[in-house]
Amino acid sequence: MACYIGIDIGTSAVKALLIDENQFVLAETDVALPISRPHPLWSEQDPEDWWQATEKALRTLKDAAPAAYAATVAIGLSGQMHGAVLMDKADRVLRPAILWNDGRSHAECTALEHRVPDLGQIAGVPAMPGFTAPKLLWVARHEPETFAEIAHVLLPKDYVRFRLTGAYVSEMSDAAGTLWLDEAERRWSPEIVAATGLDPAVMPRLVEGSDAAGTLSAKAAAALGLDAKVIVAGGAGDAAAGGIGIGAVDEGDAFISLGTSGQYFVVNETYRPYPAAYVHTFAHALPGRWFQMAAMLNGASALAWAAQLVGEADIGKLLARVEATPAKNSELLFLPYLAGERTPHNDPYARGVFFGLDPATETTDLIRAVLEGVAFSFADAQSALATAGTRPKRMGAIGGGAKSPLWMKMFADVLGVQIVLHEGGAKGPAFGAARLAILAATGQSTAAVCTAPPINATIDPDPAATTRYAEKIERFRRLYKVLKPEFAPR
């Protein structure tokens, strides 16, 4: 029986799973990753950490299911989007990778918009600090010696692909998040690449996510205990890979992703950009598919931060306490912008705020406010998508945050939509990457491989709760507007 591996190069961990040809998960693991914040607004990782974590994850899969691991015929890759890995002619990494949640390149975004006035229509979104292209302008301005040595620019998962295959390759969905992709034509935009001061030769070759991008190098095959004939698929950025995993592949299919960051994702069969609302319109990981997405920089990571703040290591126990305790301060608000925010504010300087504390406020009230604040940010995302003409009534949910029934019920009520929880939804992008490996190796149809997993639960919104939340969401929005001038740098 043929087997397939999916690897997701996340921000907090590398996740990997091994499936058989029937898509049954035989083994899975995750390996934690460190993150560095050496200066305000900065967020970096060492690409070598990704590779070492990938090797460790694959060894774990091998130990857990040796026969199935040996039967691997293809590997699919997913990963955090927008990260800039810069390499020289000798394939040495020139500096730590600048990540998706790095906000240092605000001024460079303005410069790029000036150089390419129709950037949002070409690239599917206006310039924002998280994207790759303005990061390169920042390097050119602040680290010119490094910029001069750049021979290759790769995204996080594509750096791992390089370590697996020796090839410089990306695919459409991850390339979409760089600002260099002509989304409609699904090719690098010569105009935008030139506006970043780069030679087109530094850009990786592009394939579709369901295509074979190469095979394992002899060195990687020997190190990993796999056959050198193992195919490495194009793969996908984490958002698109999550869509592949949950079966969001056709017009109107929609889901929310609640991992370290958050996404509100809707599939389109045509390219429909709407940059005015900071809606991301990107190429999907399948040919002839695009998606509209609102991207939030603060998802389940806000809950992890709050749990650490109150000294609770077990988030599951903490959520159980919240669910069992009536809210004592229903007026309490939390702005979840710990790392700034993208949709709908494009504000890297925004920060987290508790508002409305009183002497009766307890730990459970704080955590409930955090859960609501993240959900309210998704309500803002939903409003942004609505201005672009996208109004789903039913949505899947994936990511670690989808494990919480309390949070999912809150999301259904806040958004006023039905939330559908699928079997294996928490596996998310790694499972989608494994499905892309199947497509690359077998040539099967998308309809045969990318089906929606079985439904574990369906959560309907309570109209009365939706009405109650609507007033609180308006207070949430007013609070951000009032505080926005205080977030600005001095």
Side-chain angles (χ1 to χ4, degrees):
M1 180 177 289
C3 292
Y4 305 88
I5 292 173
I7 304 171
D8 176 38
I9 311 302
T11 312
S12 59
V14 168
K15 300 177 182 179
L17 54 77
L18 176 67
I19 65 173
D20 64 20
E21 58 194 21
N22 296 315
Q23 302 189 28
F24 181 79
V25 177
L26 304 171
E28 58 186 310
T29 188
D30 58 83
V31 180
L33 290 168
I35 189 167
S36 173
R37 298 185 181 275
H39 302 286
L41 298 179
W42 288 34
S43 181
E44 299 182 338
Q45 285 179 323
D46 183 350
E48 182 62 27
D49 290 339
W50 302 333
W51 176 244
Q52 291 184 12
T54 298
E55 287 188 303
K56 184 176 180 180
L58 293 180
R59 286 196 299 270
T60 301
L61 297 185
K62 182 180 181 181
D63 292 343
Y69 182 85
T72 298
V73 298
I75 295 172
L77 297 172
S78 168
Q80 51 172 300
M81 299 175 68
H82 319 308
V85 181
L86 312 179
M87 300 166 61
D88 66 12
K89 292 180 180 179
D91 295 332
R92 292 178 299 225
V93 174
L94 292 169
R95 68 172 327 282
I98 307 175
L99 302 188
W100 56 274
N101 54 355
D102 187 288
R104 76 184 76 174
S105 60
H106 195 73
E108 287 73 22
C109 290
T110 302
L112 190 58
E113 292 273 6
H114 178 74
R115 295 178 188 181
V116 188
D118 57 347
L119 177 74
Q121 290 296 319
I122 299 171
V125 68
M128 290 187 264
F131 297 122
T132 322
K135 293 179 173 71
L136 270 291
L137 287 179
W138 185 93
V139 173
R141 178 182 177 186
H142 296 277
E143 300 175 358
E145 299 85 359
T146 298
F147 190 85
E149 291 189 65
I150 295 172
H152 305 284
V153 178
L154 294 176
L155 294 157
K157 80 171 193 321
D158 300 325
Y159 175 76
V160 172
R161 183 201 319 281
F162 165 74
R163 298 293 293 265
L164 290 170
T165 67
Y168 314 105
V169 181
S170 191
E171 49 69 45
M172 304 303 170
S173 69
D174 217 358
T178 65
L179 289 183
W180 287 312
L181 192 73
D182 183 325
E183 304 285 350
E185 298 297 327
R186 300 173 86 93
R187 62 179 177 84
W188 297 122
S189 165
E191 180 183 9
I192 304 174
V193 171
T196 322
L198 292 171
D199 187 317
V202 310
M203 308 304 290
R205 177 171 62 90
L206 288 172
V207 299
E208 293 288 351
S210 53
D211 288 344
T215 56
L216 293 180
S217 67
K219 180 181 178 180
L224 301 174
L226 291 168
D227 194 298
K229 295 179 182 178
V230 169
I231 291 168
V232 179
D238 55 3
I244 300 295
I246 205 171
V249 296
D250 293 320
E251 178 76 31
D253 291 345
F255 69 93
I256 58 172
S257 175
L258 194 51
T260 302
S261 58
Q263 293 94 28
Y264 192 121
F265 183 110
V266 186
V267 179
N268 307 130
E269 293 182 359
T270 56
Y271 176 55
R272 302 204 298 267
Y274 198 83
Y278 298 112
V279 169
H280 302 31
T281 307
F282 287 166
H284 206 340
L286 299 169
R289 296 287 189 276
W290 289 261
F291 60 88
Q292 289 177 317
M293 181 180 73
M296 287 68 71
L297 300 182
N298 308 274
S301 55
L303 175 59
W305 167 82
Q308 184 179 32
L309 186 71
V310 301
E312 178 57 77
D314 190 326
I315 292 178
K317 288 183 179 179
L318 182 60
L319 292 175
R321 284 170 53 201
V322 173
E323 190 166 14
T325 307
K328 294 183 177 63
N329 185 351
S330 61
E331 298 303 306
L332 187 61
L333 290 170
F334 176 68
L335 300 186
Y337 311 131
L338 299 171
E341 191 52 292
R342 195 177 292 173
T343 307
H345 302 308
N346 186 25
D347 186 354
Y349 305 112
R351 287 296 176 263
V353 173
F354 280 111
F355 179 81
L357 298 166
D358 65 30
T361 302
E362 297 184 353
T363 295
T364 53
D365 298 313
L366 295 176
I367 301 304
R368 188 183 299 273
V370 170
L371 299 176
E372 288 181 346
V374 174
F376 293 168
S377 74
F378 275 74
D380 278 347
Q382 183 166 263
S383 295
L385 283 161
T387 64
T390 299
R391 297 178 176 85
K393 299 297 183 184
R394 173 186 170 101
M395 308 194 71
I398 66 172
K403 296 177 182 178
S404 168
L406 171 66
W407 215 356
M408 290 299 97
K409 174 57 176 168
M410 191 179 288
F411 265 83
D413 291 341
V414 166
L415 300 178
V417 301
Q418 185 183 73
I419 300 292
V420 179
L421 301 178
H422 291 276
E423 184 178 303
K427 296 181 176 65
F431 184 66
R435 283 183 155 185
L436 290 168
I438 294 175
L439 292 173
T442 68
Q444 294 182 60
S445 69
T446 299
V449 174
C450 301
T451 56
I455 294 175
N456 281 344
T458 300
I459 305 172
D460 292 313
D462 175 358
T466 301
T467 299
R468 289 195 301 271
Y469 273 129
E471 181 180 351
K472 198 167 186 179
I473 291 167
E474 287 307 310
R475 291 181 55 232
F476 172 87
R477 290 168 176 163
R478 288 197 300 270
L479 182 61
Y480 169 76
K481 290 177 182 178
V482 168
L483 292 178
K484 180 177 171 61
E486 299 302 318
F487 294 139
R490 287 168 172 77

